[in-house]
Amino acid sequence: MCEGVTKNMEMDSNSVTEEATTAPTPTPVPAPAAAPTPAPAPAPAPAMGQPMMQSMPNMQAMGQPVNVQPAQFTAFAGGGMSSYQPENIDLIMDVPLEVTVELGRTTKSISDILDLGPGKIIELNKIAGEPIDVLVNGKHVAKGEVVVIEESFGVRITEIVNATKVGQ
């Protein structure tokens, strides 16, 4: 029984492939002939420093009117900020910031760093008694002095750095 089924399947597949190869192909229907219209020549690219409008072909000659007008801008109202209401700052009051207190800086060679050990002194670029720098997220925001409260060190803020002074 299996042999008969296999033969029928082979015969069916052969007839399908024969039909596919001998099937007539449809002939394309020719499109109605239309009068060819000449395509407009592309405009040459503008030279460096040359305005774009000068290099464009005359649009009125192509049958398309061109309406060119100078841009109209409204005056800037600087007084609108008086009605500005600040957002609720309580939403960000618990965001943590990194506060760094910098006593001073120095540059050392690798051999100097390898020679470090207990009792060695690293000389900094600041003089004793000079205000120390307070940085918040890496930005210099204040100056202060070192204080000792019981057994802990602290910083007493002596000056808030002006944002315009930082850039100078």
Side-chain angles (χ1 to χ4, degrees):
M1 173 135 180
C2 290
E3 291 177 14
V5 172
T6 308
K7 261 187 183 176
N8 286 341
M9 289 175 64
E10 288 175 1
M11 288 174 53
D12 287 344
S13 67
N14 287 342
S15 65
V16 169
T17 55
E18 286 175 8
E19 288 175 4
T21 57
T22 60
T25 57
T27 56
V29 178
T37 57
M48 292 297 285
Q50 184 180 16
M52 183 66 110
M53 290 301 293
Q54 290 180 355
S55 66
M56 293 182 68
N58 186 353
M59 297 300 280
Q60 289 179 344
M62 294 177 64
Q64 298 174 349
V66 177
N67 185 11
V68 179
Q69 297 176 353
Q72 301 291 324
F73 298 104
T74 59
F76 177 71
M81 294 300 287
S82 62
S83 64
Y84 172 74
Q85 296 294 323
E87 296 296 322
N88 188 355
I89 197 160
D90 293 335
L91 294 173
I92 62 169
M93 290 303 256
D94 60 347
V95 174
L97 300 174
E98 180 181 330
V99 178
T100 306
V101 177
E102 188 176 90
L103 293 172
R105 293 182 179 215
T106 190
T107 304
K108 296 284 184 194
S109 66
I110 293 176
S111 62
D112 291 340
I113 299 297
L114 292 175
D115 288 341
L116 289 178
K120 289 282 189 171
I121 296 175
I122 300 174
E123 199 172 324
L124 301 174
N125 64 347
K126 293 214 177 186
I127 301 170
E130 189 175 344
I132 59 172
D133 296 324
V134 178
L135 296 96
V136 176
N137 282 354
K139 184 175 180 181
H140 189 215
V141 296
K143 291 185 179 284
E145 58 188 15
V146 177
V147 294
V148 179
I149 303 170
E150 295 177 8
E151 294 182 5
S152 299
F153 286 108
V155 177
R156 178 182 295 130
I157 302 295
T158 58
E159 176 187 354
I160 301 295
V161 177
N162 189 350
T164 56
K165 284 176 126 178
V166 173
Q168 294 176 354

